[in-house]
Amino acid sequence: MTGTTAASGRRADNVRNRRLLLEAASAAFAEQGTEASMGEIAQRAGLAKGTVFRHFASKDDLLAAIMLQMLDRLIGAADRLLEADDAAAALREFMTVGVEELVADRAFCEVIGRPSLQHSGVRDAIGRLSESAEALTARAREQGAVRGDITGTDIVLLLGGIHQTAAPLLPAQPQAWRRYLELALDGLRTTDARTLPHPPPGHLHIADPSEHV
């Protein structure tokens, strides 16, 4: 085997191993939250534990990679829905997809405050998600489908709020989140809307706990 062929084979193995690790980690974190161990993830992937650490130096690096995958899916959904004619239906579908993602992944809300959420790639993706959500929301505002003071950042924050509200019910009633999504959607509509008592949030910033020490 030539040096070029060997290097190509190693690259292919690295790509395959990374894919297997991300798939195994996604499943483990979704089921168990952030308590899932790196050893268990390696076992699920059928790889040695050392292989995990060659790709991801820490659990937080692995969590950040999983977060990026989910954020990319949400950004893709938002960008796809920008092509829809009915802005209200597009915003509803985006919020439905967003809450479904959170409900399916137990680890998501557990990473709040962890270093994985401070990863530069994750921060950038959250910014892109807010921009995509704002584009969707702006279209809905223009069509008179939602109140004029609703922003894309409001929408992104509501996704987590809906999930957290329904979370205690989900083990016994896995579809309970749909009730709270509908309540939130009702609150976005213009009919009989009251002035909100607080100005809209600016750029979405996930605080690093060390900033408060």
Side-chain angles (χ1 to χ4, degrees):
M1 181 180 289
T2 66
T4 301
T5 303
S8 178
R10 285 194 296 272
R11 283 195 296 272
D13 285 343
N14 284 335
V15 169
R16 171 184 171 275
N17 289 345
R18 184 180 176 87
R19 175 179 56 78
L20 289 173
L21 286 170
L22 288 172
E23 289 173 355
S26 294
F29 289 140
E31 293 169 11
Q32 302 174 33
T34 57
E35 294 305 309
S37 72
M38 298 291 264
E40 179 180 347
I41 289 166
Q43 185 175 22
R44 282 185 182 230
L47 299 169
K49 189 174 179 179
T51 304
V52 182
F53 289 104
R54 281 198 293 275
H55 286 269
F56 304 99
S58 69
K59 183 187 287 189
D60 281 310
D61 287 338
L62 182 51
L63 281 165
I66 300 299
M67 284 283 293
L68 279 169
Q69 286 187 328
M70 188 187 74
L71 290 166
D72 284 344
R73 288 195 296 270
L74 291 178
I75 293 165
D79 292 346
R80 172 178 57 80
L81 288 165
L82 279 171
E83 304 299 319
D85 293 332
D86 187 334
L91 188 60
R92 168 187 284 274
E93 183 174 344
F94 171 71
M95 292 183 71
T96 300
V97 169
V99 182
E100 282 178 329
E101 285 277 356
L102 300 185
V103 168
D105 192 340
R106 178 178 164 185
F108 179 81
C109 288
E110 294 180 15
V111 302
I112 301 298
R114 288 187 66 114
S116 51
L117 207 57
Q118 305 307 321
H119 188 281
S120 61
V122 173
R123 282 179 173 269
D124 289 345
I126 290 172
R128 294 199 309 275
L129 177 61
S130 293
E131 291 171 1
S132 295
E134 175 56 34
L136 274 177
T137 307
R139 292 187 67 237
R141 289 196 305 263
E142 291 165 4
Q143 292 187 13
V146 298
R147 47 191 300 158
D149 51 2
I150 295 297
T151 70
T153 300
D154 288 323
I155 297 300
V156 173
L157 291 171
L158 276 172
L159 300 181
I162 293 164
H163 174 230
Q164 290 283 44
T165 300
L169 304 174
L170 295 178
Q173 303 174 57
Q175 297 298 311
W177 60 271
R178 295 185 182 276
R179 172 182 178 85
Y180 301 101
L181 172 61
E182 202 60 44
L183 284 171
L185 288 166
D186 277 349
L188 297 177
R189 297 188 180 101
T190 56
T191 306
D192 298 327
R194 297 182 181 181
T195 300
L196 294 175
H198 193 276
H203 180 71
L204 187 58
H205 170 66
I206 304 298
D208 184 337
S210 65
E211 295 173 1
H212 303 289
V213 174

